Amino acid sequence: MKLVRYGAPGAEKPGLIDADGNVRDLSGKIDDVAGAAIAPESLIALSSLDAAALPLVEGNPRLGPCVAGTGKFICIGLNYADHAEESGLAVPPEPVIFMKATSAICGPNDNLVIPRGSEKTDWEVELGVVIGKTAKYVSEEEALDYVAGYCTVHDVSERAFQIEHQGQWTKGKSADTFGPTGPWLVTKDEVADPQNLPMWLKVNGQTMQDGTTGTMVYGVAHLVSYLSRFMSLQPGDIISTGTPPGVGMGQKPPRYLKPGDVVELGIEGLGVQKQTCVADR
């Protein structure tokens, strides 16, 4: 099942994608794609609906972030060995955790706003894991029971803010529009193996990243279990699991985004995003 949120920013409605790729309105069934609506029992009930009987959403509506009510946007750094190598850094002995501000979350095709003073805005295609029920001290064996589904995430990064300024990575990761999510929240029953998903990213039509979740250092189950040792994971929380090689920082010479650039990215089965870069005013 592919769940979506459509409509104007801040006024999105819940929907699902039918067998023909149309958006069907779910607002008569759930308030939003959030909280209790993405709990296991709710997802089972939604999956039993006759999608063709739901109201058809006409036209080509804007798609918002695929999940609402995200309390934590947790990112994993250097989680692909080949990306760590291109960054000139060692593979970490434990997952590297940092937070991205939830105000960075936006729709998958919204403009990517390059912040004032930015010189090194970079791209990163990542697998997003959406939590469906509260997880605390969960084992790796049961970790996926707490996952509602998966989505494509663009973990946009301003490398100068992230690396060259003092402090933690968060300020280089959290500008408005630096967290496009979606287009869909794909429920976990449709993803046979989250560690076997091809992923790619293009800038102005040129392929920059072409990888697979199979080269993650720490897989999804391990990450959910590991994180749940340090904090409870709540419904709607997003874990962005790291990126394969090919980021702008790793190019020779480095290459960064500028106004007018178009970024396209996707993960097999999880949908495609497209953003046009614009300058912040």
Side-chain angles (χ1 to χ4, degrees):
M1 184 168 54
K2 295 179 175 67
L3 299 175
V4 296
R5 301 176 65 250
Y6 67 94
E12 293 93 346
K13 295 181 179 180
L16 61 76
I17 304 297
D18 68 16
D20 296 319
N22 300 308
V23 178
R24 297 283 179 166
D25 182 26
L26 271 178
S27 57
K29 305 295 182 182
I30 57 174
D31 293 333
D32 207 342
V33 183
I38 57 174
E41 59 273 14
S42 175
L43 293 180
I44 291 171
L46 291 175
S47 69
S48 68
L49 295 174
D50 178 6
L54 295 169
L56 177 67
V57 178
E58 301 287 351
N60 187 28
R62 169 191 174 269
L63 297 182
C66 61
V67 63
T70 297
K72 294 189 288 297
F73 197 167
I74 307 166
C75 297
I76 309 299
L78 304 174
N79 197 30
Y80 288 69
D82 33 14
H83 171 56
E85 181 179 357
E86 74 171 348
S87 301
L89 298 168
V91 173
E94 293 187 37
V96 172
I97 302 169
F98 62 94
M99 295 291 194
K100 198 174 183 85
T102 56
S103 54
I105 296 172
C106 65
N109 304 312
D110 292 347
N111 285 342
L112 196 169
V113 181
I114 297 177
R116 295 179 188 179
S118 169
E119 299 176 350
K120 298 181 179 180
T121 295
D122 204 349
W123 56 82
E124 296 186 29
V125 59
E126 304 203 1
L127 172 66
V129 179
V130 178
I131 298 300
K133 65 177 182 177
T134 300
K136 189 173 183 179
Y137 302 124
V138 300
S139 69
E140 191 165 336
E141 291 71 25
E142 63 182 348
L144 296 186
D145 295 342
Y146 295 82
V147 172
Y150 303 94
C151 63
T152 302
V153 169
H154 190 183
D155 175 23
V156 187
S157 309
E158 211 300 338
R159 301 300 188 189
F161 298 173
Q162 177 190 358
I163 299 169
E164 298 169 22
H165 294 228
Q166 295 298 309
Q168 299 178 335
W169 288 1
T170 301
K171 63 177 171 283
K173 297 283 190 170
S174 295
D176 293 351
T177 76
F178 270 26
T181 61
W184 317 307
L185 169 58
V186 180
T187 51
K188 65 182 177 183
D189 57 292
E190 290 200 10
V191 180
D193 182 1
Q195 306 309 147
N196 186 29
L197 299 174
M199 57 206 306
W200 56 271
L201 182 145
K202 298 180 181 180
V203 178
N204 300 330
Q206 180 182 359
T207 297
M208 307 304 295
Q209 292 185 276
D210 184 12
T212 169
T213 58
T215 61
M216 276 187 194
V217 178
Y218 302 104
V220 172
H222 181 85
L223 291 173
V224 172
S225 175
Y226 182 84
L227 289 167
S228 77
R229 292 167 49 191
F230 304 105
M231 65 193 84
S232 62
L233 303 175
Q234 307 291 334
D237 286 354
I238 299 170
I239 305 168
S240 199
T241 56
T243 198
V247 300
M249 181 175 62
Q251 305 299 311
K252 301 187 185 306
R255 174 179 173 183
Y256 297 109
L257 296 171
K258 61 186 185 302
D261 285 345
V262 176
V263 185
E264 299 169 272
L265 58 147
I267 300 177
E268 185 173 286
L270 303 185
V272 173
Q273 302 184 359
K274 183 177 182 179
Q275 297 115 29
T276 299
C277 298
V278 298
D280 203 352
R281 297 185 182 278

